[in-house]
Amino acid sequence: LATSSTWPTRPMGILLSTSSLKAWSASIGAVELAPQGVRVNAVAPTFIETPMTAPMLADQAFSDEVLSKIPMGRVGQVEEVANAVLFLASPASSLVTGDSLKVDGGWTAH
């Protein structure tokens, strides 16, 4: 299970875009490892309310810009990402592989 973002950033100088992670998940998960029963998926959240994002979201102009891109009108909570990971790690997703689950309040559909 991998994580990405709907807003690519460069943590520690590394840029792994959502599209490249999705392609990696699909090629490794759906093609190479699926025959052995291994599922490879990704979770792609939008801005999540954390101590790391708090300073950015405290800037009203930045916050307004971010929220304007999220049709649900709010940033996500850690629990919402954790629930997506739990789903993908559970038997409930036993036929899901090579995919990226967006937890973005509609950001990418906007």
Side-chain angles (χ1 to χ4, degrees):
L1 188 60
T3 60
S4 183
S5 172
T6 55
W7 183 303
T9 60
R10 297 176 193 242
M12 294 188 270
I14 299 170
L15 175 61
L16 183 58
S17 72
T18 300
S19 58
S20 62
L21 180 59
K22 188 174 180 181
W24 177 81
S25 295
S27 68
I28 298 297
V31 178
E32 294 183 30
L33 298 175
Q36 289 90 37
V38 177
R39 297 178 291 127
V40 179
N41 294 294
V43 175
T46 188
F47 275 91
I48 303 300
E49 190 175 320
T50 68
M52 188 174 85
T53 60
M56 292 180 278
L57 295 170
D59 177 324
Q60 190 62 49
F62 183 83
S63 181
D64 289 346
E65 180 183 348
V66 167
L67 294 176
S68 75
K69 297 178 186 328
I70 303 174
M72 294 189 80
R74 65 179 181 83
V75 296
Q77 300 298 309
V78 172
E79 295 80 12
E80 292 168 312
V81 178
N83 287 337
V85 171
L86 181 61
F87 166 71
L88 289 174
S90 77
S93 68
S94 63
L95 196 60
V96 179
T97 192
D99 207 356
S100 178
L101 178 57
K102 294 178 217 68
V103 183
D104 69 358
W107 177 298
T108 53
H110 187 255

